[in-house]
Structures are given as C-alpha cells and as structure tokens.
Amino acid sequence: MSKIILYTTDCQNCKVLETKLNEKNIEYTTCRDRELMADKGFRSAPMLEVDDTTYTFYDAVQLLKGM
Amino acid sequence: MTKLISDITKRFNHYNLDIDLKLDKDFVRAFKKMKRKYGEKFERMNGFHNENLNFTDFIDNFVDENNKTADVSIDANANSSSSDIRTLFSDMMKPHTKLLSYNKIFYELKKKYDLKTARQWLELEWNGSLYLHDAASSTFMPYCYAYTLKNLAEKGLYFIDKFKALPAKHLSSFNDHVLETISWLSNRSSGACGLPDYLIYSYYFWKKDIDNNFYTKDPIYYRDQCFQKFIYDLNQPYLRVSECAFTNISIMDKNYLVELFGGKQFPDGSFMIDSIDEILDYQKAFMEQVSKIRSEKLMTFPVLTYSLLYQNDKFVDEEFAKWCCKHNMQWNDSNFYMGDDVTSLSNCCRLISDTSKLDAFINSIGGTALSVGSIKVNTINLRRIALESGMDKVKYLEILKEKQDICVKTLDVIRGIIQRNVDKGLLPNYTYDLIEMDKQYNTVGITAVYEVIKDFGLIEVDDFGNHFYKQEGLDFAGEILDQINKQKDSYDFDYSINVECIPAERANAVLCKKDHELYQDKVEEFIYSNQWIPLMEQCTIQEKIKLGALLDKKCGGGQISHINIQSQMTNFDQAWELLNTIAKSGVIYFAYNTKISVCENEHGFMGDICPNCGQPVIDTYQRIVGYLVPSSSYSKERKLEFDNRKWFLLE
C-alpha cells in the first residue's frame, strides 16, 4: 500500500485536492509544516507525495482521474 | 478677416445668461489666480478656457470639419474617433465636470490637509507638473478593475434594478449578459474593464450546451459562431455611451489557470481543475477566431494578453508558450506577460495587478484573486522636475519628494470622495460587490524618464545613431524609481499605492506642450515618451530589452515595452528564440508592434495590397499605447510621433 502525504496550506486548491482524495476513499496523511514544504523546495501548495514521487496540484488531479 | 468679422458679429448678437455655479470660495480665488498667472494658453490646455466651457463655442469647434474629436475634446482618446452627435453630447460636458471635480478635490484637500496643500495641488496640476487622468470624471467614478464573472454566471444580472435577469442557461445568453454587464460597469468607471475569467465561464456554458445538445450545426461551429458574435459586439461603439468599452481578456497558461481557478467550482458544482486542458484548447480556439476576424474586419477589442509563467530561465508550460509565440506571429496583436510567480497578472488595461502587494490578497501559498484595479491615476511629470532642478540630482530628488507627496494626498482625497459616492448609493458597482475598494490601488503615474536622463546629459549615441543610457543615466533612473517606491510605501494608509509608467496617450502631449510654454527652447520635443527609450529614437533591440529588464520591475503597476518591428516574423525558430531572449533578460511585459494594413473594406492584412479584395492600403492599425487603433484617429501630436517611429528590421 502506498504512503500518501498531502501537503496543504488549507487554501482553496488544497481543499479541492482533499475533497478528491476523500471522494476516492484514499487513505493519506496531511502535513501543514510550511518550513518542511520550503525545505522540500515546494513553490506552491497543495502537493501530493505518493511514496517517493511528488505531484503538483494539477498532476495529482490527473493521477486521481486514472484511479 | 472673414472669421474676425464673424466673431465680432457673434459677439454683438449674443448675450450671456447669468447661471449660478456654486464653488468653494478659496477654489475660485486660486482658480482665478492660475488664469492670471499662466494665461490663456494654459486655460485652453486645461480645458478651462471659455471656448471649452462655453457650450456654443465648443459646439462650433466640434462641428468644424477641420477638427478631429481627438483634437477638440479635452479628454479624447483614439478609441473615441467618431464625431457624431452622441460624442458631441458627451464631450461638451467634460470641461464642466472637470471643473466640478477640481473644485471638489480642492475642497477636500483643504479640509483633510490644509489650504496650502490644496493651492499647491491646483498649481501643479494647472502648470503641468502633475496630470490627473480622466480628470473630468475623477470625483464621480473609479478608474479600472478586473472583474470576475463568477457572480454573473451564478446569479445573472442581479445588480440591474427593476429588471434582474436570471442566470444564463446557454452560452449565447451568457455572452449577452457579459456585454450588458460590461456596458453597465463601463458607464460607472472611466478605465478598462478586465475580464480575466471570461473564457473560463464561456467554456462552462459551451460545454453545458453541448452536453444538452443545444447547439447549431455542430459543437465547433456553434462555439466559433458565439466567439465571432461576441468579438463583433465588443467593438460596437455603444457599450460606453458613444465609444467601445475598453475590454481586456487574458489568455493563461496551465500554471496560471491551475493557480487562479484550481480551487474554484463552476455554477453546477463541478471543479474547474478537472477542465484545465479543455479550457486551454478553448482559449486557443478563441484566439483562432480573433485572428480570422482580423482578416475580415480589423478591430481593436478585446486587448489580449498572454500570461505565461517563466521560472528558472524557461517557460514552465513550454508547449502553450510555443503555441502563443506561433499564433502571435500572424498579427503581433497580443501582449506578453511573463511573470515568475502567479500572484501578478496583467489583465487590466496596462496595469500589472500585483496582488501580493494588496493586503486583501496576502494569504497562503498560491493564494491569489482576480479582482484588482485602480481607483485613479495621478502622474508626475518627471521632465518638469529636471527643468526646475537646474540639472542638480540632489535638488531633483528633493523636488520629486515634494511633488509626490502632493500627488499621493490628491489620490487619497479622491479615494475618500469615491468612497462617499459609494456610501450615498451613487456607485452600485461597489454596493453590489462587483468592485471591492480594498482591492483597488491608488496609482502614482510617472512619465518622461528618458527625457530626464537626456537632460542630465546621460544618454549617448553610438556611431550608428543608436541611443543608449550611460551607466550613470541608468543608475539615476533607478534612483528616481527607487525613491518613488520607497516614498509610496512610507504612507500609513489602509490601502495600497502602486507606481505605473503610464501609457499617456494624451497626457504626454499635454505635459510636453506645457513644459514648452514655460521653458521654450529647453524643450525641443513635441511629445514625451511612454517608453524607457522613445519609439522615435533609434536604439538596438538589446538596449531596449536591457532597460526593460532593469527598470520594469521598479514599476509594480506596470510598464509595457513596445518592440516595433518592420514586418511580421515568418520563421518560428527566430520568433521563439527572440521571445526566450526577452523573457530571460527579465522583461516582464512587452508587445511587438507592427503596422497592420487595412483596405477600404476594413480587411486587415500585411503589406500594400489586400489579399482578400485586391484594394490598396488606406490606413494602418498599430498600438498607439496599449491597443490597436487606426493611425487616422490619432491626435496631431500622436500622428507626428507615429510618423517618426523607428522600426526594427528582423532578419
């Protein structure tokens, strides 16, 4: 089973991704640590981490469409 | 002699009515003092001469077949080129509404600050140290705004008293609602009406129609028909009383679309993020129709801007950027906005709407909004300060500081006046939340930077006649802009101020003329430049790009670089390379400017003979400042400037 982390700032875009994950009944943890996000080099939120792969908001939505 | 006799006859045959016009007594005193001190020429330039204020004289001048609207009106632009009864009716009021506005501003400055400040402002405005844009409506309505169409799509025409149309169900009715809204809004503001999300909602209604089998012939035909009708409608000269509304539509890359709309829903609850790819295609289809229509009927609106995210020396959505680059090769008709983050977006006239600077927009990463604009623009004539300073840099910066203070205070009281108009229910565009004042800047305009640097002897010309800023000139230009930015940030207001290098379609001719009147031979120009290097001066494309890269970022409210090219580019690789070079150098906002020919049938084409009908060119369209207009509608000064523009020949 994949380890999924949603990096969120609770912005509108983050909420949409959260909704989509919930609609698909996908288990995930959330991270709101902005320092950690900055350390990871993120320039925007939300980001979705699936195992070792990071997806931007748009890419995460595309990923979920196929699930 | 005949005219003299006619004038004398008129004088003997006419009496003046005694009509009361109640104005602030201190204003009247100061006003009369200005008339005495600066004389008749300044009265005319300010639109306060009897020939302007006297309706019958104004009508005589207006109907004189030798005069153009752009030369008679006190507040003309090339968008208002017709000289029919509707324009006459609108323009004859302007000197009076300008007088009332000045009186109000003077009174409020006196009340909030002091009489000295009010007098200083009137003199600076009168003598051309400052230029208040849209002065005739300055205390009546705000300037510009980029509106979201969300409420329109969800609630219909909810803001029209006594006839509130329900939300549109189809694309055709949505487009009608958009046009009615543009007209309603443009009649309650003086500047641009930005429509950054028009294509987003347009897509939604089109898709809905297709899903419900509500279309003519086939989905693509129906879509393109709706686009065509919408574009033609936007160019009808009735949306703002007697002229077209100034409309601006943004074409965004994937990154902008995701950031701005990813968290939003369409009226039926579906997420916009699920339609990003389709919206990208829809935007392209719209642009294809724009290009097609130009061949059939060259038009001005909408002003189009590509918003492309550029990070780490490359376009993030390279595929879309390439498409934009290729598409633009046909007409060079779109502006390119190439920000390195998505909090800035050019969608409102030439205003760069840097949403990160507005308190209302500071939120989480990626948090941004579309609704942003400007209450009013008041421009500082930077050249005048050079003439006053005796070419002493320290003195220059001291005078600048004083003038900016008056400029900012003037904008401050205008904002207060507009707020009171809202409180009194006079501006329902605010009451119904179509505009939110806390998302509008007060804009300090600047102009004539090049002329300042030239006055200080800091422009050099190489053996080939190309003009360059000396390093000291570049440093001084930077110092001026830095001081303006620092000072505007030092005020403790509960709103934001931005700085814009203004387009100055009319302002730069008026300010130059005033400087010439006061400083005679020291002012050789007939118009000032709205570019870091005037379009009339020969320079290298590299210098133009360099200046844009270094100075644009000091104008948070915007500066567009025009790159005049002799003819359209035919080689995509060349166009792509140039676009990347410009973006890499740090230029944020630019447009290529090419002469587009028109024949008597109004077909647009490149060259001398129309490929559609074989007729010769009778006029050319190009950007006078920010939008494409025929050179035949230019004012005398703009026409002369245009005739002297230098054009780059790309090989």
Side-chain angles (χ1 to χ4, degrees):
Chain A
M1 189 173 166
S2 297
K3 186 186 171 193
I4 300 175
I5 305 170
L6 170 66
Y7 293 91
T8 173
T9 58
D10 293 315
C11 66
Q12 283 296 318
N13 291 5
C14 298
K15 285 175 186 164
V16 168
L17 187 55
E18 201 170 344
T19 303
K20 286 185 170 290
L21 287 164
N22 293 338
E23 279 174 359
K24 296 266 182 185
N25 293 319
I26 292 168
E27 284 188 22
Y28 63 95
T29 56
T30 54
C31 173
R32 292 183 170 79
D33 186 339
R34 287 175 183 242
E35 277 187 28
L36 179 63
M37 285 187 245
D39 288 345
K40 282 177 170 281
F42 296 166
R43 288 190 67 159
S44 65
M47 297 290 274
L48 193 69
E49 205 171 76
V50 182
D51 296 328
D52 292 329
T53 310
T54 307
Y55 297 87
T56 62
F57 177 35
Y58 172 82
D59 291 334
V61 170
Q62 302 309 309
L63 181 73
L64 293 176
K65 272 185 187 173
M67 293 174 83
Chain B
M1 189 62 171
T2 313
K3 189 177 184 304
L4 183 65
I5 292 167
S6 162
D7 287 348
I8 292 168
T9 311
K10 267 187 195 171
R11 261 169 217 262
F12 279 108
N13 287 334
H14 290 80
Y15 286 99
N16 290 330
L17 275 176
D18 292 326
I19 302 171
D20 276 347
L21 184 61
K22 286 178 187 165
L23 301 171
D24 179 78
K25 70 176 191 309
D26 289 320
F27 172 72
V28 173
R29 283 185 193 134
F31 188 87
K32 285 181 175 173
K33 188 180 172 189
M34 291 302 102
K35 286 175 76 151
R36 286 194 303 274
K37 184 171 177 181
Y38 291 97
E40 262 192 301
K41 280 188 180 171
F42 275 80
E43 280 180 45
R44 281 201 178 84
M45 286 188 278
N46 287 316
F48 289 140
H49 191 273
N50 267 347
E51 284 177 8
N52 307 113
L53 288 162
N54 184 328
F55 289 126
T56 45
D57 283 351
F58 185 92
I59 293 168
D60 284 348
N61 278 329
F62 192 94
V63 298
D64 183 337
E65 60 184 18
N66 295 318
N67 288 331
K68 278 187 199 171
T69 306
D71 295 323
V72 176
S73 173
I74 67 158
D75 189 24
N77 61 68
N79 181 28
S80 170
S81 55
S82 67
S83 298
D84 68 8
I85 200 73
R86 184 58 261 181
T87 313
L88 166 63
F89 200 67
S90 303
D91 283 7
M92 65 189 280
M93 311 294 181
K94 286 180 178 174
H96 287 263
T97 54
K98 183 176 175 181
L99 182 66
L100 292 173
S101 293
Y102 271 38
N103 175 64
K104 184 73 176 161
I105 293 166
F106 187 97
Y107 174 75
E108 294 296 335
L109 276 169
K110 186 175 75 166
K111 199 167 75 173
K112 181 162 184 179
Y113 295 100
D114 52 41
L115 180 57
K116 187 183 167 195
T117 305
R119 284 176 176 152
Q120 281 177 324
W121 163 72
L122 185 64
E123 179 148 17
L124 293 177
E125 191 69 41
W126 194 282
N127 72 23
S129 292
L130 296 177
Y131 185 98
L132 181 60
H133 298 261
D134 300 302
S137 61
S138 55
T139 59
F140 295 86
M141 53 184 77
Y143 178 46
C144 66
Y145 203 67
Y147 302 88
T148 173
L149 299 176
K150 179 177 184 291
N151 279 343
L152 185 72
E154 291 177 354
K155 300 198 289 191
L157 298 174
Y158 67 98
F159 47 88
I160 307 285
D161 283 340
K162 296 177 185 166
F163 206 82
K164 301 178 190 304
L166 294 173
K169 290 180 181 166
H170 305 290
L171 176 57
S172 53
S173 45
F174 175 69
N175 280 348
D176 288 341
H177 281 188
V178 174
L179 290 162
E180 285 149 13
T181 303
I182 290 168
S183 183
W184 193 85
L185 291 168
S186 295
N187 285 312
R188 287 159 183 81
S189 59
S190 60
C193 182
L195 303 167
D197 57 7
Y198 164 70
L199 287 169
I200 314 300
Y201 285 102
S202 173
Y203 165 77
Y204 165 76
F205 283 102
W206 174 70
K207 180 75 169 44
K208 191 164 166 258
D209 280 346
I210 301 314
D211 290 346
N212 293 318
N213 290 317
F214 183 91
Y215 54 82
T216 317
K217 210 168 168 181
D218 63 62
I220 300 302
Y221 179 85
Y222 172 64
R223 180 196 66 194
D224 292 347
Q225 282 297 304
C226 287
F227 282 154
Q228 286 175 25
K229 182 175 184 307
F230 185 67
I231 293 164
Y232 270 86
D233 284 344
L234 281 182
N235 286 280
Q236 297 304 321
Y238 65 81
L239 290 174
R240 176 179 275 145
V241 188
S242 58
E243 47 181 86
C244 302
F246 190 113
T247 48
N248 191 330
I249 287 182
S250 302
I251 310 296
M252 302 179 209
D253 73 4
K254 190 189 288 177
N255 310 285
Y256 275 101
L257 288 175
V258 169
E259 290 302 328
L260 293 174
F261 304 106
K264 294 183 176 156
Q265 291 168 282
F266 286 121
D268 66 358
S270 60
F271 291 114
M272 293 182 183
I273 187 71
D274 291 325
S275 302
I276 295 296
D277 290 329
E278 291 81 355
I279 292 169
L280 280 167
D281 289 340
Y282 194 77
Q283 293 184 130
K284 290 178 185 174
F286 177 77
M287 292 301 286
E288 298 289 0
Q289 287 307 309
V290 168
S291 289
K292 189 175 168 216
I293 292 171
R294 289 202 198 285
S295 300
E296 297 161 358
K297 191 75 69 181
L298 197 53
M299 75 291 187
T300 298
F301 297 109
V303 174
L304 297 155
T305 300
Y306 294 122
S307 294
L308 307 171
L309 187 65
Y310 189 83
Q311 288 175 339
N312 305 321
D313 291 344
K314 65 172 192 171
F315 289 101
V316 180
D317 185 355
E318 190 172 275
E319 185 188 335
F320 190 71
K322 278 185 174 171
W323 184 89
C324 297
C325 175
K326 186 157 195 246
H327 185 265
N328 194 57
M329 286 168 63
Q330 184 179 0
W331 296 108
N332 290 313
D333 56 350
S334 301
N335 305 326
F336 283 84
Y337 180 75
M338 305 172 294
D340 65 356
D341 68 65
V342 292
T343 57
S344 294
L345 182 66
S346 175
N347 53 19
C348 184
C349 186
R350 278 182 46 186
L351 181 85
I352 291 177
S353 307
D354 184 349
T355 53
S356 66
K357 299 289 193 309
L358 282 164
D359 293 338
F361 288 78
I362 296 172
N363 46 30
S364 56
I365 304 170
T368 185
L370 297 166
S371 311
V372 66
S374 173
I375 288 276
K376 200 62 63 183
V377 187
N378 195 7
T379 287
I380 305 169
N381 176 1
L382 295 177
R383 173 72 183 286
R384 171 65 59 83
I385 303 174
L387 295 163
E388 290 170 341
S389 71
M391 307 311 146
D392 177 335
K393 283 187 191 171
V394 175
K395 197 171 173 192
Y396 185 98
L397 295 172
E398 282 171 8
I399 300 171
L400 173 61
K401 190 178 175 192
E402 288 166 18
K403 289 191 176 174
Q404 187 176 346
D405 190 51
I406 302 288
C407 173
V408 168
K409 285 174 177 166
T410 307
L411 287 167
D412 180 50
V413 298
I414 290 173
R415 192 181 187 95
I417 295 164
I418 299 292
Q419 179 62 62
R420 280 196 293 285
N421 290 349
V422 175
D423 297 341
K424 288 173 190 162
L426 296 170
L427 288 169
N429 33 352
Y430 287 90
T431 324
Y432 282 108
D433 290 336
L434 288 140
I435 310 184
E436 294 169 80
M437 200 179 283
D438 64 353
K439 293 173 183 171
Q440 285 183 294
Y441 290 99
N442 279 6
T443 302
V444 172
I446 55 161
T447 195
V449 171
Y450 175 83
E451 288 76 6
V452 173
I453 305 305
K454 192 177 169 193
D455 274 348
F456 276 83
L458 301 175
I459 298 290
E460 59 187 344
V461 185
D462 70 9
D463 293 344
F464 306 102
N466 293 310
H467 293 66
F468 295 86
Y469 279 50
K470 291 179 184 172
Q471 186 56 47
E472 191 188 343
L474 196 49
D475 292 344
F476 188 45
E479 199 176 348
I480 290 169
L481 297 177
D482 286 343
Q483 176 174 305
I484 292 170
N485 278 299
K486 194 176 167 193
Q487 186 171 337
K488 64 104 178 158
D489 289 334
S490 70
Y491 292 92
D492 189 26
F493 294 127
D494 58 356
Y495 54 82
S496 299
I497 300 171
N498 65 350
V499 177
E500 182 184 5
C501 188
I502 53 149
E505 178 178 345
R506 181 172 182 274
N508 274 351
V510 173
L511 293 176
C512 184
K513 206 181 277 184
K514 287 183 174 180
D515 282 349
H516 183 73
E517 280 304 314
L518 294 177
Y519 290 89
Q520 301 294 316
D521 294 345
K522 287 184 181 170
V523 180
E524 294 170 345
E525 299 84 353
F526 58 90
I527 196 165
Y528 290 148
S529 174
N530 61 6
Q531 301 280 300
W532 304 123
I533 285 199
L535 297 171
M536 294 184 290
E537 297 281 32
Q538 187 179 317
C539 73
T540 64
I541 207 162
Q542 290 83 358
E543 176 71 358
K544 196 159 188 59
I545 292 169
K546 178 184 146 192
L547 292 172
L550 293 168
L551 300 177
D552 284 4
K553 57 175 73 104
K554 295 180 190 290
C555 295
Q559 149 66 22
I560 188 166
S561 293
H562 283 180
I563 298 179
N564 282 352
I565 53 176
Q566 188 79 42
S567 57
Q568 62 198 132
M569 287 180 268
T570 51
N571 180 326
F572 172 75
D573 291 338
Q574 180 196 35
W576 180 241
E577 190 184 334
L578 185 57
L579 180 64
N580 276 276
T581 303
I582 294 167
K584 193 174 180 179
S585 71
V587 171
I588 300 165
Y589 196 24
F590 89 100
Y592 297 118
N593 207 9
T594 318
K595 288 180 195 171
I596 304 174
S597 306
V598 255
C599 64
E600 63 180 20
N601 295 315
E602 297 172 36
H603 301 141
F605 57 97
M606 297 292 181
D608 299 326
I609 302 293
C610 176
N612 284 1
C613 63
Q615 293 297 315
V617 56
I618 57 157
D619 203 351
T620 60
Y621 272 62
Q622 51 282 308
R623 287 174 184 81
I624 183 170
V625 282
Y627 52 103
L628 298 168
V629 279
S631 44
S632 58
S633 66
Y634 289 11
S635 64
K636 286 173 197 159
E637 296 83 2
R638 275 288 165 204
K639 181 77 173 62
L640 192 56
E641 182 256 344
F642 173 70
D643 289 343
N644 285 288
R645 283 186 187 179
K646 300 285 189 290
W647 301 81
F648 292 113
L649 183 61
L650 299 175
E651 292 173 353

